[in-house]
């Protein structure tokens, strides 16, 4: 029986699936949207199932697009391996659950992203894993928080939203001397600005929907690290079902191609905006590591010689009026790292999960605005911002 003899229903199901020509290959990797893969025999299936990093056979276990993205991100972060996940929080959860068990203890920076704080403070205790929050910019406080059962110190390379800078190399030495691991969320920096693994971090995480993809159109997370740590993290992620979609992996790969170019523009623009805001009478405070008054200014110059990315925060007089004055030019959006500049309100978005007293203690007030500075022409951007400050003050 030849294909021409098949019923139309059969032909429709199989049309186009015959062997494809191999005289050329696509310049851009195709999207592999299939949820399952076929094997020629039982031996081939067993081979795919039994290796530690299995070939594609089922969507939850990974797709060719995810595998390509993992290899790319491991290369950029300077690690042996990487694992992509369905979200940044899935990546952080899997990373920590891959190396922790009931009875273990975490030390974490009190300034971590609000949902990370809630994960550590509310969810992990249900699993018998406790956390002590400290100021990670104070190595003595970090050391004092360690216990015999401490297994991980978790920090952010640039904290959200106040842009503090933990001394990652010093913390790595401290942690490793006690037989523990250092986990660094590198979302705000990206590997174009800082590579934590080269400074002693064991696990590096990102929300890839931020600078890695860079266009607010792809969603996911990644964990980078040595192969022997990524293996148990992969096991936890697959069991929890935190798979990244093939399309999100593919979109992230497209954005990743311009990461270096984008980050140079983000960093230069953010520095220029920070300098202007720091000298404006209607701005009470500006948080950016490139300003001489920043508490870790000298450390930041050492760790981030090529710029600090596009993030900064500012305490602005009559912040609601400032936001209204920017309507139609700079959007109020509860995320970051797009090619266009956006505003966010940490009090009611990223750090909403923290108790009010803790938000105020950390300096996250109702008047604090976070700016994700884009790659626009800097003169146009400053015209918008300065004009909005004047309008809000009028």
């Amino acid at each position: 029986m030849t294909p021409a003899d098949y019923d139309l229903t059969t032909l429709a199901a199989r049309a186009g699936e015959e062997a494809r020509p191999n005289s050329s290959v696509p310049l851009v990797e195709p999207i592999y949207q299939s949820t399952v893969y076929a094997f020629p025999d039982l031996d081939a299936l067993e081979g795919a199932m039994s290796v530690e990093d299995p070939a594609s056979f089922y969507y939850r276990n990974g797709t060719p697009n995810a595998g390509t993205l993992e290899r790319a991100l491991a290369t950029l972060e300077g690690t042996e391996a990487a694992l992509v996940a369905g979200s940044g929080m899935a990546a952080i959860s899997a990373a920590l659950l891959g190396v922790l068990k009931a009875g273990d203890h975490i030390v974490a920076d009190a300034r971590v992203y609000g949902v990370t704080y809630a994960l550590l403070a509310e969810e992990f205790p249900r699993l018998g894993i406790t956390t002590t929050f400290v100021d990670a910019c104070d190595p003595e406080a970090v050391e004092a928080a360690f216990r015999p059962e401490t297994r991980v110190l978790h920090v952010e390379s640039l904290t959200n939203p106040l842009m503090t800078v933990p001394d990652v190399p010093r913390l790595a030495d401290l942690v490793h001397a006690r037989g523990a691991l250092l986990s660094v969320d590198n979302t705000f920096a990206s590997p174009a600005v800082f590579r934590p693994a080269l400074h002693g971090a064991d696990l590096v995480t990102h929300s890839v929907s931020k600078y890695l993809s860079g266009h607010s159109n792809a969603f996911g997370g990644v964990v980078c690290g040595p192969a022997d740590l990524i293996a148990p993290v992969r096991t936890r992620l697959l069991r929890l079902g935190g798979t990244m979609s093939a399309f999100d992996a593919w979109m992230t790969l497209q954005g990743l191609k311009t990461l270096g170019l984008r980050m140079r523009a983000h960093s230069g623009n953010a520095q220029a905006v920070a300098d202007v805001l720091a000298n404006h009478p209607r701005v009470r405070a500006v948080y950016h590591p490139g300003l001489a008054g920043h508490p870790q200014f000298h450390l930041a110059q050492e760790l981030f010689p090529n710029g600090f990315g596009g993030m900064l925060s500012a305490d602005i007089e009559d912040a609601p009026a400032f936001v209204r004055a920017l309507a139609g030019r700079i959007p109020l959006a509860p995320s970051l790292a797009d090619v266009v500049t956006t505003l966010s309100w940490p009090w009611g978005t990223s750090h909403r999960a923290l108790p009010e007293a803790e938000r105020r203690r950390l300096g996250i007030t109702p008047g604090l605005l976070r700016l994700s500075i884009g790659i626009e022409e800097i003169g146009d951007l400053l015209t918008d911002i300065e004009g909005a400050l004047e309008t809000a003050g009028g």
Side-chain angles (χ1 to χ4, degrees), residues 27-32 63-76 84 208-215 217-219 244-260 262:
L27 184 61
V28 175
E29 181 179 74
I31 301 172
Y32 293 88
T63 64
N65 299 114
T68 301
L69 180 57
E70 289 172 353
R71 291 188 294 274
L73 292 175
T75 297
L76 291 180
V84 294
V208 306
S209 52
K210 310 307 189 294
Y211 284 120
L212 297 181
S213 63
H215 297 78
N217 57 10
F219 199 71
M244 175 185 268
S245 77
F247 184 69
D248 283 315
W250 185 85
M251 288 292 287
T252 302
L253 279 164
Q254 309 320 304
L256 204 60
K257 297 177 190 299
T258 60
L259 177 64
R262 287 186 286 106

Side-chain angles (χ1 to χ4, degrees), residues 115-346:
V115 182
T116 304
Y117 187 101
L119 173 74
L120 300 179
E122 299 175 20
E123 301 301 330
F124 273 21
R126 293 154 49 107
L127 305 176
I129 301 169
T130 57
T131 300
T132 299
F133 293 97
V134 299
D135 178 359
C137 292
D138 181 354
E140 293 182 358
V142 172
E143 188 170 16
F146 263 67
R147 306 174 186 170
E149 65 271 23
T150 302
R151 298 289 176 264
V152 172
L153 169 64
H154 179 75
V155 301
E156 296 173 357
S157 54
L158 290 168
T159 67
N160 176 12
L162 298 178
M163 304 298 291
T164 57
V165 183
D167 190 339
V168 170
R170 183 174 177 183
L171 292 176
D173 289 342
L174 185 158
V175 167
H176 295 155
R178 286 152 184 79
L181 301 173
L182 176 59
S183 167
V184 178
D185 183 336
N186 199 34
T187 297
F188 265 35
S190 91
V193 170
F194 183 62
R195 296 197 282 177
L198 302 188
H199 296 274
D202 301 287
L203 293 169
V204 180
T205 53
H206 289 265
S207 169
V208 306
S209 52
K210 310 307 189 294
Y211 284 120
L212 297 181
S213 63
H215 297 78
S216 296
N217 57 10
F219 199 71
V222 67
V223 188
C224 303
D228 63 340
L229 288 182
I230 295 300
V233 174
R234 186 181 297 275
T235 297
R236 299 300 177 277
L237 184 73
L238 296 185
R239 290 174 180 172
L240 293 170
T243 306
M244 175 185 268
S245 77
F247 184 69
D248 283 315
W250 185 85
M251 288 292 287
T252 302
L253 279 164
Q254 309 320 304
L256 204 60
K257 297 177 190 299
T258 60
L259 177 64
L261 296 173
R262 287 186 286 106
M263 292 310 293
R264 284 198 288 274
H266 285 301
S267 295
N269 281 356
Q271 184 68 59
V273 171
D275 290 339
V276 167
L277 291 179
N279 291 292
H280 198 285
R282 293 193 177 91
V283 180
R284 290 186 286 251
V286 181
Y287 303 92
H288 184 270
L291 297 176
H294 187 279
Q296 292 89 42
F297 173 75
H298 295 293
L299 174 64
Q301 298 293 318
E302 178 184 343
L303 295 182
F304 301 86
N306 299 316
F308 312 99
M311 303 304 301
L312 62 95
S313 291
D315 187 342
I316 296 173
E317 289 181 7
D318 199 353
F322 177 70
V323 172
R324 287 193 298 272
L326 283 171
R329 288 174 288 175
I330 295 179
L332 178 65
S335 192
L336 60 111
D338 203 313
V339 292
V340 298
T341 298
T342 60
L343 281 168
S344 184
W345 184 43

